[in-house]
Structures are given as C-alpha cells and as structure tokens.
Amino acid sequence: MTLPDEEFDPDDNYTGDTERAQIDDDLGAEALVWQLLLVINPGDEDAALQQFGAFQEALDGGDAEDVDAVWLLKDVIDWKSGFHIDETEPGALIDCLAELAARFNLRIDWGVEDPTDAAFLARVSPDALLETAHEQLRLDGYTLWTWETGTDARAGWMTLSSDDEAMRVIAPALGIEVRPAGV
C-alpha cells in the first residue's frame, strides 16, 4: 500500500487561513480520498490507513480518477466510519448510527425507551432519525454528514465539528455532494 505524496495536516482543518479553503487542483483523487478518510476517522489514523488500503485494493490497479470514488468509499467505510442504509430500514439506521457514535464513547438518545420497538420504527422517518442524531452529536463536538446517493438510501459519516470546513472543501473536490444531516 502506498500513501499519497501530498502532505495534509489533519490538525490544521483549514481554519484561520481563508486562502487554504480551496483544494489544490493538482491533488489527485487518491490524495483527496486519504484526506477524507483522515477527517472521517478523527484520531484514528490506523482505521484511515486500513480503509485507504481497502480503497486501493478495490481500485485493483486502476486509477482513482477514473472511478466514482464515493461508491468505492461506501464499501470500505460502511459500518466502520460511515453508513449506507436503505430508507425502509430505520432500525438498521439506528444501529449503525449508534455504532458510529460508540466509536467516540457517545450515545444517541432517540427520545424513546426502546428505539428498536416496532411501533416507534413504524412512525419515525429516516430524516427525523438523522436530524436527532445530528443535533445530539453537535452537542458533543461532532457533525453527522449525509451525501446524496441518488437512491432511496441514506448515507454519510461523522466528523469532528472542527473539521466542518475541511469536509466542505474535500468532499466536493471528490464530486461528493455533502450536507449536515437533517438539513
């Protein structure tokens, strides 16, 4: 596995330097994927490295410029540092978001005693679940992001709130349309 040559300081987070609020056009897709993985795995470079290796393996010797990177990323980060759940499965969405939050010793209060209760799941929408999770995670300094899948699925990841600007720069450079969850 080879890491991109371009340097990226995940602790810089594009703060305080409006000139850096744009990605260098010469950065390749693999370098951008690496930066994204660092941001969605805050404080866990080992996980980012494993996911980057899986991304490179999925490329199978191809060029990251020639693929839709978000769909390869979806597969290597799913249930680890991201989610991709069909909207008809609110229970799976709750489970996955709870697992992502647990990575950082956080717990999401869904506003009910048992979020796996069939009656609750039947009346709650995926968007309401994402909004609840986003609001609660913001209180702990995290942002829950979603990206446009073009399908009925809901997909996204978590970052530190201090990395919001980095996400707004890196994701579009990869052609990923992101927004804070619930928005």
Side-chain angles (χ1 to χ4, degrees):
M1 173 174 61
T2 59
L3 295 177
D5 292 332
E6 294 83 358
E7 289 187 29
F8 173 72
D9 181 1
D11 297 324
D12 182 21
N13 302 324
Y14 300 95
T15 56
D17 187 356
T18 56
E19 301 245 342
R20 276 207 57 206
Q22 303 217 358
I23 291 285
D24 181 351
D25 292 334
D26 294 333
L27 282 181
E30 280 193 54
L32 293 169
V33 165
W34 172 244
Q35 292 176 9
L36 180 73
L37 290 171
L38 287 172
V39 172
I40 66 173
N41 288 287
D44 192 354
E45 191 171 334
D46 289 339
L49 202 54
Q50 288 174 347
Q51 292 166 13
F52 187 70
F55 177 81
Q56 288 182 313
E57 188 176 307
L59 284 175
D60 195 30
D63 188 347
E65 304 289 336
D66 299 332
V67 299
D68 192 354
V70 71
W71 291 103
L72 283 181
L73 279 168
K74 173 195 80 68
D75 293 336
V76 301
I77 68 169
D78 203 22
W79 286 76
K80 297 174 191 116
S81 57
F83 62 94
H84 184 269
I85 306 287
D86 190 271
E87 71 177 11
T88 62
E89 299 183 39
L93 182 59
I94 288 171
D95 290 344
C96 191
L97 293 175
E99 189 169 314
L100 290 178
R103 286 180 71 202
F104 306 104
N105 296 319
L106 303 173
R107 186 181 164 284
I108 299 170
D109 179 0
W110 300 105
V112 295
E113 188 174 318
D114 180 9
T116 62
D117 177 62
F120 172 71
L121 295 174
R123 71 175 185 267
V124 70
S125 73
D127 292 331
L129 293 172
L130 290 168
E131 185 175 347
T132 296
H134 175 73
E135 289 173 1
Q136 289 193 17
L137 293 169
R138 288 297 283 185
L139 296 173
D140 291 311
Y142 291 84
T143 301
L144 182 64
W145 296 89
T146 58
W147 55 270
E148 184 57 47
T149 65
T151 70
D152 290 335
R154 299 297 191 269
W157 43 65
M158 283 175 57
T159 65
L160 289 171
S161 297
S162 60
D163 286 330
D164 285 359
E165 187 59 28
M167 182 57 62
R168 287 185 181 101
V169 172
I170 297 168
L174 282 166
I176 304 169
E177 184 182 326
V178 297
R179 65 184 168 282
V183 174

